[in-house]
Structure formats: C-alpha cells, structure tokens
Amino acid sequence: MKFIIQRDQLIAGVQDVMKAISSRTVIPILTGMKIEAKQHGITLTGSDSDISIESYIPAEEDGVVHVEQIEEGTIILQAKYFPDIVRKLPEKTVEIEVDANLKVTIRSGKAEFNLNGQDAEEYPHLPKLETENSFEMSIELLKSMIKQTVFAVSTMETRPILTGVNLKLANNVLSFTATDSHRLAKREIPVTDANIEFQQVVVPGKSLTELYKILDDSEETVEISVTNNQILFRTKHLNFLSRLLDGNYPETSRLIPEQSKTKLQVKTKELLSTIDRASLLAKEERNNVVRLFTQGDSVIEISSNSPEVGTVVEEISVELIEGEELKISFSSKYMIDALKAIEYDDVTIEFTGAMRPFVIRPLNDDSILQLILPVRTY
Amino acid sequence: MKFIIQRDQLIAGVQDVMKAISSRTVIPILTGMKIEAKQHGITLTGSDSDISIESYIPAEEDGVVHVEQIEEGTIILQAKYFPDIVRKLPEKTVEIEVDANLKVTIRSGKAEFNLNGQDAEEYPHLPKLETENSFEMSIELLKSMIKQTVFAVSTMETRPILTGVNLKLANNVLSFTATDSHRLAKREIPVTDANIEFQQVVVPGKSLTELYKILDDSEETVEISVTNNQILFRTKHLNFLSRLLDGNYPETSRLIPEQSKTKLQVKTKELLSTIDRASLLAKEERNNVVRLFTQGDSVIEISSNSPEVGTVVEEISVELIEGEELKISFSSKYMIDALKAIEYDDVTIEFTGAMRPFVIRPLNDDSILQLILPVRTY
C-alpha cells in the first residue's frame, strides 16, 4: 500500500474518525484506525463497536487532486499517535507506505516515522446497511433536532432505553423525543419523499452527540437509513453508523397535558437570565430548585434560597398571564436547558397546577415542545 | 457600608482578587473576600496566606466616576458565589449595602441578592510592607522574565527552595534564576535607580505564575519592594504580596560551562518543531528522550524510538556547526520549554560532551540562558 495525500484532507478525515475510537475498548484492534487505499480514494475507519465512522477522501474532487500515486492496500495503525503525527508534519503533503512486514512509513519533508501496523484482516467487518429504505434531510435541520432534544436523555443506566432519543417517522412527520422521566424534549418536522416509516428507533444519546459534532455545516444533506439494530447517517464524505437501543420506548404522548390552568407568555432571554441568576445560590443543592410566583396580571417573581448562603429574588414583566394564580417550584437546570433549546425570542408556558408537568413552547410554533415536572416544596 | 459601582470595574477587580482565594484553605475566613469602602474608593482583598492580592477601584479616575454614594465600611463575603453573581447581574451598575447584622444586599435592576456576610475584624491583617526600598520596572519586561524562567522551577517538594525563582539585584543588574536540578533558566536585565540590592530573594514559582496572569499589559510599570520574608509587586490598581521561600538557594553559576567543544547555530522554530515531532512517539516514557547527532558540518539529525510503537528520524540543515562531532540524548520536554522561552529567531547551543550540561542562548544576546543536563543512553 502506498499513497501521497494532502495533509489538510488527511487531518480532517483523521479528526472525524477519531471520534469513534476509544483507548478503553475491550477489543484491542479497535484502538487502531483502518486505512484503506483504493484507486478512487482513501477510506479511514474507526469504531468502538457502538459507533463506527468512515471518512472518505476521494483521489480527485471537482478537478482538485487530493491523493496521488496510489498503490492499493489496507492497514491498521495505532490511533493513539497518528493524529498528532499528521497534525505536526512539516509539509503540505504526506506519503504513507506499508511494506510486506506491515511496517508503515510516514514521510513529509525530511521527517520520517516508522510505525508498526497490524493486519487489516483482524479488524472486524462493519455491517453493510441497505440504503434503499432511506430518507434525506438537511444537515442543518438534523443538527437542530439533535440539539433540541438530546440534552434531555437520561444519564442513568437504570432504564437504558431512556439514554436514547426516540426517532419516529410516520405520516410524513419525523419526530425526535427524549426524556429522563423528569422532563421531556420533543421536536417534529415534516418529511417528504420518505419511502420508509418507523414507530420506534432509539438512538443512543452519545451517538447523536458525536454525530452533531462531526456533521459539517458546509455539506447540505444527510441520508438516513435504518435497520432493526443499526442506523446509518451518510453524507458525501462520511458514513456514521450507530447501534440502536433494545427495548420499548415508553409512550410519552399521554404525559403531555391537553389543557392548562395558567398560561404565560414571556421573553425567552429575560426568563433565561433571571432563572440563571436565581440558580446561582442553589448550586449546592441537588436540583437547583427555583420558585415562580405569578403577581397580578403582568409580573412574575423568580426566587430561590439557600439557608447557608442567602436568598435571591427578581421580578420580570411578562407579556401575558392568563388563568389561575400560580406558585410552583422546579429545577432551574431543566428550565435553563429547555429555554436554551428553544431558539425563539418568545415562549409560552402552560401550567396545570403546582404539581403537574408544565409545557414550554415557542410562541406560535407547535413543532418544539419542552415538558418539565415540578418539584414539591410545600 | 454602601456603594454603587460600575459592574465592569467590579468584575475586573473580583477576577484579580479571586486568584489568591482558595476554597481549600485551612483558615475558613480566607475563603471569603474582603470588601472595604472608603470615600476615595473600594478595595477588594483575597488571600491564601501565601499570596495576598488587593485590587483598588478609585471612586473617580481621569474624570470618570466608578463608584458613587459611598458609605464607608468593611465586610467579608463568601467568595464562592460572588464572582458569578457579579458577572450575571442584569444592569451596568451594582449597589452593595450591608446592614448592622452583616446582611449584604446586592441589587442590580430588579435582581436582589441577600447574602450572609462575616465580620471584617475576623480577617487576618495583611503585613504592611515598607515601600521605600524599592525599584521600578516595566510590566512587559517583568512578565517576559517570569515567562522565561518560571517553567524551570522544581515541582517536587523534596527541595522546597527549588520550587521558587531566585531574584538577585546587584551592581544594577536584576537576574531571575530557576532550576529543578535537571535544567536551569536564567534571565538578566539592567536596572537603574534601584536604591536596594539583594543577593537572594526566592519567590515561589506559583506566586509568579499567578502574578503573570494578573498583571495588566495596559499598565506601564510595577514597583517591587522586598523584606526578609515578603515581596510586594505594586501597580496603580493592584498590590500583589507573596511570601518568600526560606533556605539557601544553591550557587548556580558554577554549573554553567565556560568553554564548549561543539557549537551549533540553528533556526529556533525549525529545531523546536523537529524536536516536537521526534517527541511524539516517546510520550509514554518518563523523559521523552530524543537524540541529536551532528552530521558533517551543516546537518544535524534528531531521532527517537519507542520499541513498541516505532521510530522517527529527521534531519535539519543548521547555520553552523563548530568543533567536535557529537551524539547526545536529552529530554525533549526540557528542550521544547527552553526553545519556547527564547523569543529569538536564531539560537546557539554549546556542548561540552555527551555527558555534560549544554547551554542554549539567543544569537548575540547573553541576557537569556537555558541550560539542560543530557540523559545517559549509551
């Protein structure tokens, strides 16, 4: 195997693939990176068996040559040193050559590294996904759906299914739902031209977080295909494969109240910074609890106290208060997460009493929903 | 006590003073910040008993009012919450008021915090330094002297005196020396108008590192005064007081070889990046050892090997090689630290054999010296 590659292209590919490689894997060969040279281009692969990432660098693209003098072959390289080596090489091109004894030589300018490679035969075969049953969406939209939901997954392994985001595609609507049983985040978008439907595809939150980091805003669309136990996100240069979580995702629609007793409309940023301030003294306590009181028909009061440290109180003028007077306590962290996920200037919050879940939505947009269970403090 | 202060001024002062406050101190009151209001301005104080920092915010400066409605007084506030509170307040001004029961009220816009203060009488009195015996220097120069030496102090408590930088002022020359007994860094500058001299003032490396971070490049000069066990750095708005280390600093001048057998002249950046690359595979090993071989009269070879991982070798064309052929091994970390400290394009390196310390200096400048002990590998 041999090829000469543009260093910048190699750096970008290695950086993407490294996101799937863990030094703590139980399968030693997975601490390595697979490098496959074909005449049409170079494929880098990394995997921790939950997530697998392939990055493809075409030999030529839009008339620009990325890779030259390709002699085909495959090798596994220790991933621990490779990213630093590539990043610190002196010249703009890198030559990688493998001899019959799996010795890998990396040359750039006058610098020469000789590393021990491993036989690619020992690397596990990644499942090939049929991509006929797939749908496309914009990368920007996918990233926004991930960002608006993934923070609400459970971090506790007691109910593993809740550590994932539930994807559902039916009646031309794609929805992402995440809940840790104390709060819930949901986002829906219309999808056209999808030739598949599914009720329950639970993707580990960790996979979506990595996918979010790796998806390149400069590319336009991502193709998504699903099987029983895998999901594949495919862009022009990237294959991102994740296992799915086993088990039944709970039915969440009945959690969402259909009526409300008190309704607020408020500036998102103002509420966010007030709750952020109120939470400062509550740091120590587990839930960072803050209180919200309605005051007449245009003011709410946010407060918190921590007996050892002190108290904080602040009033906000709101756009609208409708319905019953309300005194409620909730986790400031959940509220801050929810408000940050809603990228609108104004939100409505609908309450059905101090002990029932309440719902936060952008003003005049039902496609995003954030639900929070209050905390009993009286 | 009461005053209304510009939030930005308060943030900057709090941030400086926080550098001296540790939550792990054995004296509980030192987890607090002292706030003293006088008609002429506000003084904030923090201390971990090794370092004490006072930041002064004048009521008025250059015709700009920073503090208003001052009622004099002093209070100790829990430092843990105060920086975040100040940073997140909604308005540009902050009102701080203390009542007879030491309750502190912080108001900004509609936000109001009520915190429990502590009696300032319980705060230890900081030593007052006589500042008659002092000298002045530019902040820029002081920062450069710290940066060029402090990295070489010892991090081991086995010889506590080596965890400090030795300051010496004699014959109108100020010198900073640091050594961990494996390497040494020294910088000298001429000082005029100093009305003191001292042979040995050992300032903890940690103090100088904090001082470096806190010194504001926008101010011009710093006044330095010294007593038996304290050193004070004073700028317009800042008093930085550090204890000195007890004990005799070793005589280092005899470590520095007076002659050399091999002399190189090389581009600093080129040598730095080559050694950085050579050190990549040596990560695991304690000393990150790399080898340097001279090759004829214009090339040196830098190499390293790590039996498990592989080898790396690179040649550099140098400006000049004089004297004997040389094969030497040394810690790449020490070499990288030394080369980074020398902010010149070209360096000379003088060797007196593979087992003797070698000396790195900027070309045509003797005010900076970096000395490294080689490693025996043959």
Side-chain angles (χ1 to χ4, degrees):
Chain A
M1 184 182 106
K2 185 187 158 185
F3 58 87
I4 297 175
I5 189 164
Q6 295 296 313
R7 192 170 64 102
D8 284 350
Q9 298 285 325
L10 184 59
I11 290 174
V14 166
Q15 196 173 307
D16 284 348
V17 165
M18 283 306 290
K19 295 213 163 59
I21 300 179
S22 161
S23 56
R24 290 191 304 265
T25 172
V26 289
I27 309 169
I29 192 118
L30 290 185
T31 61
M33 184 182 296
K34 183 174 165 186
I35 304 177
E36 183 170 20
K38 297 266 192 190
Q39 284 305 328
H40 55 75
I42 307 300
T43 303
L44 309 174
T45 307
S47 176
D48 66 359
S49 73
D50 282 347
I51 300 173
S52 303
I53 301 174
E54 282 181 1
S55 174
Y56 179 65
I57 303 161
E60 193 189 321
E61 189 180 31
D62 304 331
V64 179
V65 174
H66 296 319
V67 195
E68 290 179 303
Q69 299 181 31
I70 301 172
E71 293 171 17
E72 296 194 343
T74 314
I75 190 79
I76 313 298
L77 251 190
Q78 261 309 314
K80 187 173 182 182
Y81 304 96
F82 193 50
D84 270 348
I85 291 174
V86 173
R87 207 162 42 82
K88 293 190 169 175
L89 286 173
E91 299 292 330
K92 286 194 172 168
T93 59
V94 182
E95 181 183 323
I96 299 183
E97 188 171 6
V98 181
D99 72 11
N101 299 317
L102 305 176
K103 294 282 172 200
V104 184
T105 304
I106 303 172
R107 283 187 204 93
S108 179
K110 287 179 184 163
E112 182 174 313
F113 288 80
N114 286 285
L115 305 177
N116 304 320
Q118 283 178 278
D119 191 344
E121 287 302 313
E122 290 169 29
Y123 199 83
H125 288 277
L126 299 184
K128 289 277 167 223
L129 271 199
E130 293 298 325
T131 54
E132 279 171 30
N133 292 325
S134 68
F135 64 101
E136 268 198 1
M137 63 185 292
S138 92
I139 286 183
E140 197 188 339
L141 202 49
L142 174 59
K143 288 183 79 166
S144 129
M145 291 185 82
I146 294 173
K147 192 176 162 199
Q148 287 169 341
T149 53
V150 75
F151 65 86
V153 301
S154 171
T155 53
M156 318 273 272
E157 285 297 335
T158 44
R159 286 183 71 190
I161 194 78
L162 295 187
T163 64
V165 176
N166 188 28
L167 278 57
K168 180 175 164 182
L169 175 57
N171 306 320
N172 293 324
V173 172
L174 173 69
S175 70
F176 279 34
T177 307
T179 180
D180 61 6
S181 79
H182 301 290
R183 48 146 167 208
L184 178 146
K186 185 173 183 181
R187 172 79 195 272
E188 293 179 339
I189 60 158
V191 171
T192 48
D193 304 328
N195 54 10
I196 46 169
E197 293 215 333
F198 46 82
Q199 286 299 314
Q200 179 172 309
V201 164
V202 189
V203 186
K206 184 173 168 293
S207 299
L208 291 177
T209 303
E210 293 301 333
L211 178 64
Y212 182 88
K213 288 184 208 158
I214 204 178
L215 279 177
D216 186 345
D217 291 324
S218 69
E219 293 191 43
E220 286 185 359
T221 59
V222 52
E223 189 186 354
I224 303 175
S225 21
V226 174
T227 65
N228 276 341
N229 54 10
Q230 305 264 359
I231 186 165
L232 174 68
F233 300 87
R234 177 198 291 267
T235 72
K236 210 167 165 191
H237 297 109
L238 208 67
N239 279 349
F240 185 104
L241 189 72
S242 170
R243 75 179 172 96
L244 299 178
L245 293 176
D246 281 336
N248 286 314
Y249 199 81
E251 183 52 59
T252 53
S253 56
R254 64 188 163 74
L255 286 176
I256 300 160
E258 289 177 357
Q259 294 169 333
S260 75
K261 293 186 180 165
T262 312
K263 187 174 171 179
L264 302 180
Q265 181 190 325
V266 57
K267 296 279 174 208
T268 315
K269 254 195 197 153
E270 203 175 338
L271 183 59
L272 183 59
S273 52
T274 300
I275 289 179
D276 193 20
R277 280 190 284 275
S279 73
L280 285 175
L281 300 189
K283 264 183 191 171
E284 305 294 273
E285 289 164 37
R286 211 172 221 194
N287 286 309
N288 276 2
V289 174
V290 299
R291 286 178 304 233
L292 183 157
F293 292 178
T294 56
Q295 308 262 42
D297 57 0
S298 64
V299 171
I300 56 172
E301 182 191 285
I302 304 288
S303 64
S304 172
N305 80 73
S306 171
E308 298 271 299
V309 190
T311 61
V312 48
V313 59
E314 183 166 354
E315 289 180 354
I316 313 178
S317 305
V318 298
E319 310 289 306
L320 179 87
I321 303 182
E322 271 177 17
E324 297 176 5
E325 195 176 88
L326 179 79
K327 294 186 176 195
I328 194 167
S329 298
F330 49 83
S331 151
S332 59
K333 180 181 184 311
Y334 291 169
M335 189 58 144
I336 289 170
D337 285 348
L339 291 172
K340 279 186 179 164
I342 294 178
E343 295 153 336
Y344 283 73
D345 291 343
D346 297 86
V347 288
T348 59
I349 313 182
E350 293 181 75
F351 301 89
T352 38
M355 296 319 302
R356 308 290 301 279
F358 58 93
V359 173
I360 310 154
R361 286 193 184 88
L363 185 65
N364 303 325
D365 182 349
D366 281 347
S367 74
I368 307 173
L369 177 149
Q370 302 285 343
L371 176 142
I372 296 174
L373 269 71
V375 175
R376 187 190 296 267
T377 54
Y378 303 101
Chain B
M1 184 181 105
K2 186 187 158 187
F3 57 88
I4 297 175
I5 188 166
Q6 295 296 314
R7 193 170 63 101
D8 285 350
Q9 297 285 326
L10 185 58
I11 290 174
V14 167
Q15 196 173 306
D16 284 348
V17 166
M18 283 305 290
K19 294 213 165 58
I21 300 179
S22 162
S23 56
R24 289 192 304 267
T25 172
V26 288
I27 309 169
I29 193 122
L30 291 185
T31 61
M33 183 182 297
K34 183 173 164 186
I35 304 177
E36 183 171 20
K38 298 265 192 189
Q39 285 305 329
H40 55 75
I42 307 299
T43 303
L44 308 174
T45 306
S47 176
D48 66 359
S49 72
D50 282 348
I51 300 174
S52 304
I53 301 175
E54 284 181 359
S55 174
Y56 179 65
I57 304 162
E60 192 189 324
E61 188 179 31
D62 303 331
V64 180
V65 174
H66 296 319
V67 195
E68 290 179 303
Q69 297 181 31
I70 300 172
E71 293 171 17
E72 296 195 342
T74 314
I75 190 80
I76 312 299
L77 251 190
Q78 262 307 314
K80 187 172 184 183
Y81 303 96
F82 193 50
D84 271 348
I85 290 174
V86 173
R87 207 162 41 80
K88 293 189 170 176
L89 286 174
E91 301 291 330
K92 285 194 174 169
T93 58
V94 181
E95 180 184 323
I96 298 183
E97 188 172 4
V98 181
D99 72 10
N101 298 317
L102 306 177
K103 294 282 172 199
V104 184
T105 304
I106 303 172
R107 284 187 203 93
S108 180
K110 288 179 184 164
E112 181 174 312
F113 288 80
N114 286 285
L115 305 177
N116 304 319
Q118 283 177 276
D119 191 345
E121 287 302 313
E122 290 170 29
Y123 200 83
H125 287 277
L126 298 184
K128 289 279 167 223
L129 270 198
E130 293 299 325
T131 53
E132 279 172 33
N133 293 327
S134 68
F135 64 100
E136 269 198 0
M137 64 186 292
S138 92
I139 286 182
E140 196 188 341
L141 201 51
L142 174 60
K143 289 183 80 167
S144 131
M145 291 186 82
I146 294 172
K147 192 176 163 200
Q148 287 170 341
T149 53
V150 76
F151 66 87
V153 301
S154 172
T155 53
M156 318 272 271
E157 285 297 335
T158 44
R159 286 183 69 190
I161 195 79
L162 295 188
T163 64
V165 176
N166 188 28
L167 278 56
K168 181 176 164 182
L169 176 56
N171 306 322
N172 293 322
V173 173
L174 174 69
S175 71
F176 278 35
T177 307
T179 180
D180 61 6
S181 78
H182 302 289
R183 50 151 164 200
L184 178 146
K186 185 172 182 181
R187 173 78 196 273
E188 293 179 339
I189 60 156
V191 172
T192 48
D193 303 328
N195 54 11
I196 46 169
E197 293 216 333
F198 45 82
Q199 286 300 316
Q200 178 172 305
V201 164
V202 188
V203 186
K206 184 172 168 293
S207 299
L208 291 176
T209 302
E210 293 302 333
L211 177 65
Y212 181 87
K213 289 184 207 157
I214 206 179
L215 279 177
D216 186 345
D217 290 325
S218 70
E219 292 190 45
E220 285 187 359
T221 58
V222 52
E223 189 187 352
I224 303 175
S225 21
V226 174
T227 65
N228 276 342
N229 54 10
Q230 305 265 0
I231 185 166
L232 173 68
F233 299 87
R234 177 198 291 266
T235 72
K236 209 167 163 191
H237 297 108
L238 208 68
N239 279 349
F240 185 103
L241 189 71
S242 169
R243 75 178 172 97
L244 299 178
L245 293 176
D246 281 334
N248 286 315
Y249 200 81
E251 182 52 58
T252 53
S253 56
R254 64 190 163 73
L255 286 176
I256 301 161
E258 289 178 359
Q259 294 169 333
S260 76
K261 293 185 179 165
T262 313
K263 186 173 171 180
L264 302 180
Q265 180 191 326
V266 57
K267 295 277 174 208
T268 315
K269 255 195 196 153
E270 202 175 339
L271 183 59
L272 183 59
S273 52
T274 300
I275 289 178
D276 192 22
R277 280 190 285 275
S279 73
L280 286 175
L281 300 188
K283 265 184 193 172
E284 304 296 272
E285 290 164 38
R286 211 171 222 196
N287 286 309
N288 276 2
V289 175
V290 300
R291 287 179 304 234
L292 183 156
F293 293 179
T294 56
Q295 307 263 42
D297 58 1
S298 65
V299 171
I300 57 172
E301 183 191 285
I302 305 288
S303 64
S304 171
N305 81 74
S306 170
E308 298 270 301
V309 190
T311 60
V312 48
V313 60
E314 183 165 353
E315 288 180 354
I316 312 179
S317 304
V318 297
E319 311 289 307
L320 179 87
I321 303 183
E322 272 177 13
E324 296 177 6
E325 197 175 85
L326 178 79
K327 294 187 176 194
I328 194 167
S329 299
F330 49 82
S331 151
S332 59
K333 181 183 182 310
Y334 291 169
M335 189 58 144
I336 289 170
D337 285 347
L339 291 172
K340 279 186 179 165
I342 295 179
E343 295 153 336
Y344 282 73
D345 291 344
D346 297 86
V347 288
T348 59
I349 312 183
E350 292 181 75
F351 301 90
T352 39
M355 296 318 303
R356 307 290 301 279
F358 58 93
V359 173
I360 310 154
R361 286 194 184 89
L363 184 64
N364 303 326
D365 183 348
D366 281 348
S367 74
I368 307 173
L369 177 148
Q370 302 284 344
L371 176 141
I372 295 174
L373 269 71
V375 174
R376 190 189 295 267
T377 54
Y378 302 100

